[in-house]
Amino acid sequence: PEQRGPHFLALGFPAGVPEGLTERLAAKQVHVSLRGTSLRVTPHLYNNEADRAALIEVLRTICRRLLAAKTEVPDLVAIDRAG
């Protein structure tokens, strides 16, 4: 069977990852990687509640900005395991 890391998550952005998202996350010390139109998040044992809160805060800010601009907002509920 195909082996995948159970802690790898991908947030899909069908219209493309919003400009500046990875930079804003990095500024909050949240490091992710891009995989096509997905944002790969790989939490680990050393991540804590503050790390999770920083990720959610930046994603909320970006989504609010996209809504205000009436741009397609990613479906952050549909989280798939990264391939």
Side-chain angles (χ1 to χ4, degrees):
E2 189 175 329
Q3 298 293 317
R4 294 177 186 238
H7 63 289
F8 283 35
L9 303 173
L11 305 176
F13 293 85
V17 177
E19 185 177 331
L21 178 58
T22 56
E23 292 82 1
R24 290 182 74 172
L25 287 166
K28 296 277 188 176
Q29 297 302 307
V30 177
H31 301 283
V32 297
S33 59
L34 294 178
R35 296 291 189 267
T37 59
S38 295
L39 186 72
R40 188 173 97 175
V41 181
T42 54
H44 211 300
L45 296 173
Y46 54 80
N47 292 116
N48 58 33
E49 182 64 22
D51 296 326
R52 183 203 62 80
L55 172 66
I56 298 301
E57 174 192 342
V58 172
L59 290 175
R60 273 195 188 123
T61 300
I62 291 287
C63 287
R64 285 184 183 132
R65 188 183 77 201
L66 292 172
L67 281 171
K70 296 187 177 51
T71 303
E72 182 180 343
V73 177
D75 183 3
L76 298 179
V77 176
I79 299 176
D80 298 321
R81 294 187 189 275

XYZ file of all heavy atoms in Angstrom:
636
model
N 0.826 -1.208 0.000
C 0.000 0.000 0.000
C 0.859 1.257 0.000
O 1.980 1.258 0.468
C -0.817 -0.107 1.280
C -0.125 -1.121 2.139
C 0.695 -1.974 1.225
N 0.270 2.313 -0.505
C 0.964 3.600 -0.574
C 1.193 4.141 0.834
O 0.303 4.143 1.670
C 0.109 4.578 -1.370
C 0.809 5.866 -1.680
C -0.046 6.736 -2.566
O -0.820 6.206 -3.375
O 0.065 7.954 -2.434
N 2.409 4.611 1.105
C 2.756 5.142 2.418
C 2.723 6.668 2.388
O 3.312 7.283 1.518
C 4.152 4.666 2.829
C 4.277 3.164 2.960
C 3.448 2.617 4.115
O 3.427 3.185 5.193
N 2.757 1.527 3.870
N 2.043 7.251 3.353
C 1.982 8.707 3.481
C 2.159 9.077 4.937
O 1.751 8.344 5.823
C 0.644 9.253 2.994
C 0.439 9.069 1.516
C -0.945 9.561 1.138
N -1.185 9.260 -0.247
C -1.471 10.168 -1.152
N -1.560 11.418 -0.830
N -1.675 9.824 -2.392
N 2.735 10.238 5.178
C 2.886 10.729 6.539
C 1.534 11.193 7.069
O 0.924 12.068 6.464
N 1.059 10.638 8.179
C -0.260 11.025 8.689
C -0.319 12.466 9.186
O -1.398 13.002 9.382
C -0.496 10.039 9.833
C 0.856 9.603 10.253
C 1.706 9.638 9.013
N 0.810 13.106 9.369
C 0.818 14.483 9.851
C 0.962 15.505 8.725
O 1.018 16.698 8.987
C 1.937 14.673 10.875
C 3.308 14.453 10.317
N 3.768 13.212 9.977
C 4.297 15.315 10.023
C 4.998 13.324 9.502
N 5.336 14.583 9.514
N 0.987 15.066 7.480
C 1.068 15.983 6.340
C -0.342 16.411 5.954
O -1.196 15.575 5.699
C 1.711 15.305 5.133
C 3.200 15.176 5.202
C 3.859 14.939 6.385
C 3.947 15.277 4.051
C 5.227 14.812 6.440
C 5.326 15.148 4.086
C 5.960 14.919 5.283
N -0.580 17.704 5.900
C -1.871 18.237 5.489
C -1.659 19.183 4.321
O -0.633 19.855 4.236
C -2.524 19.020 6.630
C -2.742 18.283 7.932
C -3.240 19.259 8.999
C -3.724 17.157 7.745
N -2.653 19.244 3.444
C -2.591 20.203 2.339
C -3.875 21.011 2.318
O -4.963 20.458 2.389
C -2.401 19.478 1.010
N -3.726 22.327 2.257
C -4.868 23.222 2.115
C -4.933 23.634 0.661
O -3.998 24.233 0.137
C -4.686 24.460 3.008
C -4.447 24.175 4.490
C -4.195 25.481 5.232
C -5.613 23.439 5.083
N -6.030 23.290 0.005
C -6.157 23.544 -1.427
C -6.653 24.944 -1.731
O -7.569 25.453 -1.086
N -6.045 25.577 -2.701
C -6.418 26.901 -3.188
C -6.615 26.772 -4.705
O -5.680 27.021 -5.468
C -5.318 27.921 -2.897
C -5.104 28.202 -1.439
C -4.282 27.384 -0.673
C -5.716 29.285 -0.834
C -4.079 27.641 0.667
C -5.518 29.552 0.508
C -4.701 28.720 1.264
N -7.811 26.364 -5.144
C -8.039 26.123 -6.574
C -7.682 27.304 -7.467
O -7.231 27.115 -8.593
C -9.532 25.804 -6.652
C -9.887 25.333 -5.284
C -8.990 26.098 -4.348
N -7.874 28.531 -6.979
C -7.560 29.710 -7.789
C -6.117 30.160 -7.603
O -5.712 31.185 -8.123
C -8.505 30.856 -7.427
N -5.327 29.379 -6.877
C -3.937 29.729 -6.618
C -3.757 30.222 -5.198
O -4.654 30.812 -4.614
N -2.604 29.968 -4.655
C -2.287 30.392 -3.296
C -2.224 31.917 -3.265
O -1.583 32.530 -4.121
C -0.949 29.764 -2.837
C -0.558 30.252 -1.460
C -1.050 28.233 -2.849
N -2.919 32.546 -2.314
C -2.914 34.018 -2.247
C -1.502 34.590 -2.153
O -0.649 34.057 -1.441
C -3.700 34.314 -0.969
C -4.568 33.114 -0.774
C -3.758 31.961 -1.286
N -1.298 35.669 -2.870
C 0.004 36.325 -2.896
C 0.412 36.744 -1.484
O -0.371 37.316 -0.732
C -0.064 37.553 -3.797
C 1.260 38.240 -3.978
C 1.166 39.407 -4.934
O 0.315 39.377 -5.841
O 1.955 40.354 -4.757
N 1.631 36.438 -1.127
C 2.170 36.845 0.159
C 1.832 35.936 1.325
O 2.265 36.192 2.445
N 1.072 34.873 1.084
C 0.657 34.007 2.195
C 1.840 33.344 2.887
O 1.963 33.404 4.107
C -0.340 32.947 1.710
C -0.806 31.948 2.764
C -1.456 32.660 3.946
C -1.773 30.943 2.151
N 2.725 32.739 2.126
C 3.851 32.048 2.759
C 4.765 33.028 3.485
O 5.288 32.712 4.558
C 4.652 31.211 1.746
O 5.090 32.053 0.682
C 3.812 30.072 1.186
N 4.917 34.233 2.944
C 5.750 35.244 3.595
C 5.128 35.710 4.908
O 5.817 35.895 5.904
C 5.979 36.441 2.667
C 6.829 36.130 1.455
C 6.051 35.491 0.302
O 4.809 35.292 0.409
O 6.693 35.183 -0.718
N 3.798 35.886 4.906
C 3.109 36.306 6.138
C 3.197 35.222 7.197
O 3.351 35.510 8.379
C 1.658 36.653 5.842
C 1.549 37.931 5.022
C 0.142 38.292 4.766
N -0.445 38.808 6.007
C -1.639 39.356 6.068
N -2.374 39.469 4.985
N -2.118 39.803 7.205
N 3.087 33.972 6.771
C 3.225 32.876 7.724
C 4.647 32.823 8.277
O 4.847 32.675 9.479
C 2.844 31.548 7.069
C 1.350 31.357 6.818
C 1.115 30.184 5.878
C 0.599 31.165 8.126
N 5.632 32.961 7.416
C 7.032 32.917 7.860
C 7.327 34.048 8.847
O 8.083 33.851 9.805
C 7.973 32.985 6.661
N 6.723 35.209 8.643
C 6.923 36.319 9.562
C 6.407 35.995 10.961
O 6.866 36.552 11.949
C 6.241 37.583 9.027
N 5.447 35.057 11.033
C 4.910 34.599 12.323
C 5.612 33.324 12.786
O 5.153 32.648 13.689
C 3.409 34.324 12.191
C 2.585 35.523 11.874
C 2.276 36.278 13.129
C 1.275 37.385 12.832
N 0.893 38.064 14.042
N 6.716 32.996 12.120
C 7.489 31.781 12.426
C 6.696 30.502 12.160
O 6.873 29.490 12.829
C 7.999 31.802 13.869
C 8.959 32.942 14.160
C 10.183 32.909 13.235
O 10.869 31.906 13.125
N 10.440 34.007 12.564
N 5.784 30.557 11.162
C 5.043 29.383 10.713
C 5.585 29.049 9.335
O 5.413 29.817 8.395
C 3.520 29.647 10.644
C 2.793 28.432 10.103
C 2.980 30.042 12.012
N 6.269 27.932 9.239
C 6.930 27.565 7.988
C 6.169 26.433 7.308
O 5.941 25.379 7.892
C 8.380 27.196 8.259
C 9.124 28.340 8.887
N 9.553 29.423 8.158
C 9.436 28.598 10.174
C 10.130 30.286 8.965
N 10.069 29.814 10.201
N 5.764 26.711 6.086
C 4.999 25.779 5.263
C 5.681 25.698 3.907
O 6.644 26.423 3.646
C 3.537 26.262 5.109
C 2.824 26.289 6.458
C 3.477 27.628 4.454
N 5.172 24.844 3.043
C 5.730 24.793 1.689
C 4.595 24.741 0.680
O 3.478 24.326 0.994
C 6.649 23.581 1.521
O 5.953 22.389 1.759
N 4.878 25.207 -0.522
C 3.896 25.192 -1.599
C 4.055 23.929 -2.417
O 5.170 23.507 -2.729
C 4.083 26.410 -2.509
C 3.789 27.761 -1.884
C 4.067 28.871 -2.891
C 2.359 27.828 -1.395
N 2.931 23.347 -2.768
C 2.890 22.187 -3.650
C 1.804 22.457 -4.677
O 0.633 22.199 -4.435
C 2.569 20.900 -2.876
C 3.605 20.498 -1.843
C 4.889 20.044 -2.560
N 5.844 19.457 -1.653
C 6.818 20.111 -1.040
N 6.942 21.407 -1.222
N 7.665 19.490 -0.261
N 2.188 23.061 -5.793
C 1.207 23.425 -6.815
C 0.273 24.492 -6.286
O 0.708 25.564 -5.885
N -1.030 24.186 -6.242
C -2.009 25.129 -5.698
C -2.400 24.761 -4.271
O -3.462 25.140 -3.791
C -3.266 25.181 -6.583
O -3.836 23.874 -6.646
C -2.947 25.694 -7.979
N -1.536 24.036 -3.600
C -1.787 23.640 -2.214
C -0.697 24.163 -1.296
O 0.446 24.341 -1.699
C -1.830 22.116 -2.086
O -2.918 21.584 -2.782
N -1.090 24.398 -0.061
C -0.172 24.812 0.984
C 0.035 23.595 1.882
O -0.922 23.079 2.459
C -0.810 25.956 1.780
C 0.034 26.626 2.826
C 1.109 27.468 2.156
C -0.848 27.502 3.683
N 1.265 23.103 1.940
C 1.545 21.906 2.744
C 1.919 22.323 4.156
O 2.817 23.130 4.361
C 2.656 21.080 2.125
C 2.819 19.738 2.842
C 3.789 18.865 2.130
N 5.082 19.011 2.794
C 6.150 18.305 2.486
N 6.106 17.435 1.510
N 7.261 18.481 3.131
N 1.203 21.767 5.116
C 1.429 22.025 6.530
C 1.806 20.689 7.167
O 1.092 19.709 7.014
C 0.155 22.576 7.205
C 0.399 22.873 8.674
C -0.348 23.815 6.471
N 2.938 20.665 7.845
C 3.388 19.417 8.468
C 3.693 19.633 9.949
O 4.842 19.758 10.343
C 4.627 18.841 7.751
O 5.629 19.855 7.704
C 4.314 18.386 6.355
N 2.633 19.675 10.771
C 2.860 19.852 12.206
C 3.629 18.661 12.779
O 3.585 17.560 12.235
C 1.452 19.939 12.786
C 0.570 19.327 11.771
C 1.242 19.495 10.446
N 4.335 18.915 13.859
C 5.141 17.866 14.483
C 5.066 18.002 15.993
O 4.414 18.887 16.520
C 6.594 17.956 13.995
C 7.282 16.635 13.949
N 7.456 15.848 15.058
C 7.832 15.951 12.932
C 8.093 14.745 14.726
N 8.327 14.781 13.433
N 5.743 17.129 16.680
C 5.715 17.102 18.142
C 6.150 18.405 18.784
O 5.661 18.784 19.842
C 6.599 15.964 18.667
C 6.150 14.554 18.304
C 7.199 13.540 18.746
C 4.803 14.237 18.915
N 7.078 19.109 18.152
C 7.590 20.339 18.751
C 6.665 21.531 18.538
O 6.867 22.578 19.122
C 8.994 20.665 18.243
C 9.093 20.731 16.742
C 8.691 21.864 16.046
C 9.587 19.651 16.015
C 8.774 21.928 14.672
C 9.679 19.706 14.639
C 9.266 20.842 13.976
O 9.351 20.886 12.614
N 5.623 21.410 17.699
C 4.677 22.510 17.508
C 3.745 22.590 18.711
O 3.406 21.586 19.317
C 3.863 22.315 16.224
C 4.716 22.442 14.995
O 4.874 21.494 14.246
N 5.288 23.606 14.785
N 3.352 23.818 19.034
C 2.493 24.005 20.196
C 1.261 24.829 19.831
O 1.043 25.165 18.672
C 3.288 24.660 21.332
C 3.880 25.990 20.926
O 3.309 26.731 20.138
N 5.049 26.308 21.471
N 0.479 25.170 20.840
C -0.757 25.926 20.630
C -0.489 27.286 19.979
O -1.259 27.737 19.137
C -1.477 26.107 21.964
C -2.790 26.836 21.864
C -3.850 26.107 21.059
O -3.768 24.876 20.911
O -4.767 26.788 20.552
N 0.597 27.932 20.338
C 0.930 29.231 19.740
C 1.197 29.085 18.239
O 0.821 29.960 17.453
C 2.137 29.846 20.439
N 1.826 27.994 17.834
C 2.076 27.745 16.410
C 0.750 27.571 15.662
O 0.549 28.125 14.585
C 2.930 26.484 16.219
C 4.307 26.620 16.819
O 4.872 27.726 16.809
O 4.830 25.596 17.306
N -0.149 26.786 16.247
C -1.445 26.562 15.621
C -2.213 27.883 15.519
O -2.786 28.207 14.486
C -2.271 25.549 16.430
C -3.612 25.238 15.767
C -4.637 24.712 16.757
N -4.969 25.647 17.801
C -5.830 26.679 17.677
N -6.416 26.910 16.523
N -6.084 27.474 18.683
N -2.195 28.663 16.586
C -2.909 29.943 16.590
C -2.355 30.895 15.532
O -3.121 31.608 14.873
C -2.822 30.571 17.980
N -1.043 30.913 15.352
C -0.429 31.784 14.337
C -0.873 31.372 12.938
O -1.190 32.229 12.101
C 1.089 31.748 14.461
N -0.911 30.076 12.665
C -1.364 29.579 11.363
C -2.808 30.013 11.106
O -3.120 30.589 10.056
C -1.247 28.055 11.301
C -1.867 27.380 10.079
C -1.137 27.763 8.802
C -1.900 25.876 10.255
N -3.675 29.772 12.071
C -5.087 30.112 11.918
C -5.280 31.624 11.773
O -6.070 32.090 10.948
C -5.910 29.571 13.111
C -5.826 28.042 13.179
C -7.364 30.046 13.047
C -6.313 27.320 11.952
N -4.556 32.413 12.541
C -4.669 33.878 12.473
C -4.348 34.396 11.068
O -5.085 35.203 10.504
C -3.729 34.524 13.489
C -3.673 36.031 13.382
C -2.532 36.629 14.194
O -1.993 35.957 15.080
O -2.174 37.782 13.905
N -3.242 33.925 10.498
C -2.855 34.399 9.159
C -3.858 33.919 8.112
O -4.253 34.682 7.229
C -1.419 33.960 8.815
C -1.089 34.285 7.367
C -0.423 34.639 9.745
N -4.312 32.671 8.214
C -5.299 32.165 7.251
C -6.601 32.962 7.339
O -7.191 33.298 6.315
C -5.561 30.677 7.477
C -4.408 29.746 7.118
C -4.743 28.317 7.513
C -4.062 29.832 5.642
N -7.043 33.284 8.533
C -8.259 34.098 8.695
C -8.086 35.477 8.057
O -8.975 35.974 7.371
C -8.578 34.282 10.170
C -9.392 33.203 10.754
C -9.971 33.628 12.103
N -10.577 32.471 12.697
C -10.271 31.984 13.883
N -9.372 32.580 14.627
N -10.874 30.908 14.341
N -6.946 36.099 8.309
C -6.683 37.433 7.766
C -6.705 37.403 6.241
O -7.331 38.257 5.603
C -5.323 37.959 8.269
O -5.367 38.018 9.692
C -5.011 39.332 7.700
N -6.047 36.420 5.661
C -6.009 36.287 4.196
C -7.418 36.052 3.652
O -7.825 36.678 2.668
C -5.065 35.145 3.774
C -3.618 35.508 4.063
C -5.259 34.764 2.313
C -3.021 36.539 3.142
N -8.182 35.170 4.275
C -9.533 34.876 3.788
C -10.437 36.097 3.891
O -11.225 36.353 2.989
C -10.127 33.698 4.546
S -9.392 32.117 4.081
N -10.319 36.856 4.971
C -11.110 38.089 5.097
C -10.751 39.081 3.996
O -11.628 39.741 3.434
C -10.901 38.709 6.471
C -11.619 37.970 7.562
C -11.478 38.663 8.894
N -12.127 37.862 9.908
C -11.591 37.533 11.064
N -10.391 37.976 11.390
N -12.241 36.788 11.931
N -9.465 39.180 3.699
C -9.028 40.092 2.640
C -9.583 39.643 1.285
O -10.045 40.447 0.486
C -7.505 40.157 2.590
C -6.998 41.235 1.640
C -5.514 41.245 1.528
N -5.154 40.130 0.661
C -3.963 39.557 0.613
N -2.992 39.986 1.372
N -3.720 38.554 -0.189
N -9.578 38.333 1.039
C -10.115 37.818 -0.218
C -11.617 38.060 -0.308
O -12.135 38.406 -1.367
C -9.804 36.320 -0.350
C -8.332 35.960 -0.536
C -8.153 34.450 -0.463
C -7.783 36.509 -1.834
N -12.327 37.878 0.802
C -13.765 38.134 0.808
C -14.052 39.606 0.535
O -14.968 39.936 -0.219
C -14.374 37.731 2.150
C -14.614 36.242 2.340
C -15.004 35.956 3.784
C -15.673 35.726 1.389
N -13.283 40.486 1.141
C -13.477 41.922 0.937
C -13.231 42.305 -0.513
O -13.887 43.193 -1.044
C -12.552 42.711 1.857
N -12.299 41.616 -1.161
C -11.979 41.889 -2.562
C -12.882 41.088 -3.506
O -12.730 41.158 -4.717
C -10.514 41.561 -2.839
N -13.780 40.297 -2.917
C -14.682 39.439 -3.696
C -13.911 38.497 -4.617
O -14.301 38.234 -5.741
C -15.684 40.265 -4.470
C -16.605 41.040 -3.572
C -17.681 41.711 -4.362
C -18.621 42.398 -3.563
N -19.053 43.117 -2.757
N -12.795 38.014 -4.100
C -11.979 37.039 -4.815
C -12.385 35.662 -4.331
O -12.880 35.515 -3.227
C -10.483 37.276 -4.493
O -10.165 38.614 -4.838
C -9.588 36.334 -5.245
N -12.168 34.653 -5.144
C -12.501 33.289 -4.733
C -11.747 32.928 -3.459
O -10.532 33.042 -3.372
C -12.130 32.294 -5.835
C -12.493 30.875 -5.476
C -12.124 29.892 -6.567
O -11.884 30.308 -7.701
O -12.058 28.698 -6.257
N -12.495 32.503 -2.460
C -11.918 32.120 -1.176
C -11.689 30.621 -1.188
O -12.555 29.865 -1.608
C -12.858 32.504 -0.014
C -12.305 32.043 1.316
C -13.081 34.001 -0.016
N -10.528 30.172 -0.721
C -10.259 28.737 -0.708
C -11.183 28.014 0.250
O -11.650 28.574 1.237
C -8.810 28.653 -0.220
C -8.614 29.908 0.540
C -9.457 30.942 -0.140
N -11.459 26.764 -0.039
C -12.268 25.933 0.837
C -11.341 25.320 1.875
O -10.795 24.241 1.679
C -12.972 24.850 0.021
C -13.881 23.985 0.863
O -14.022 24.252 2.087
O -14.452 23.037 0.318
N -11.152 26.020 2.992
C -10.230 25.554 4.011
C -10.795 24.401 4.819
O -10.093 23.790 5.597
C -9.835 26.705 4.945
C -9.103 27.847 4.271
C -8.793 28.935 5.281
C -7.819 27.351 3.625
N -12.062 24.101 4.614
C -12.653 22.962 5.314
C -12.195 21.670 4.643
O -12.021 20.643 5.299
C -14.195 23.060 5.291
C -14.829 21.841 5.921
C -14.641 24.325 6.011
N -11.962 21.730 3.352
C -11.557 20.539 2.602
C -10.045 20.376 2.720
O -9.284 20.826 1.885
C -11.978 20.649 1.150
N -9.615 19.728 3.761
C -8.201 19.503 3.984
C -7.888 18.063 3.601
O -8.467 17.127 4.125
C -7.813 19.756 5.456
C -8.102 21.206 5.820
C -6.352 19.394 5.704
C -7.852 21.533 7.265
N -6.992 17.918 2.671
C -6.598 16.584 2.202
C -5.182 16.293 2.645
O -4.376 17.193 2.840
C -6.643 16.508 0.675
C -8.027 16.737 0.143
O -8.990 16.261 0.754
O -8.128 17.409 -0.895
N -4.874 15.048 2.747
C -3.482 14.656 3.013
C -2.664 14.941 1.757
O -3.082 14.660 0.657
C -3.397 13.185 3.370
C -4.084 12.874 4.674
C -3.819 11.436 5.063
N -4.636 11.072 6.173
C -4.336 11.295 7.443
N -3.227 11.882 7.768
N -5.146 10.931 8.411
N -1.510 15.529 1.950
C -0.632 15.875 0.821
C -0.042 14.610 0.207
O 0.236 13.660 0.903
C 0.480 16.804 1.274
N 0.127 14.663 -1.064
C 0.713 13.529 -1.773
C 2.158 13.738 -2.053
O 2.738 14.723 -1.828
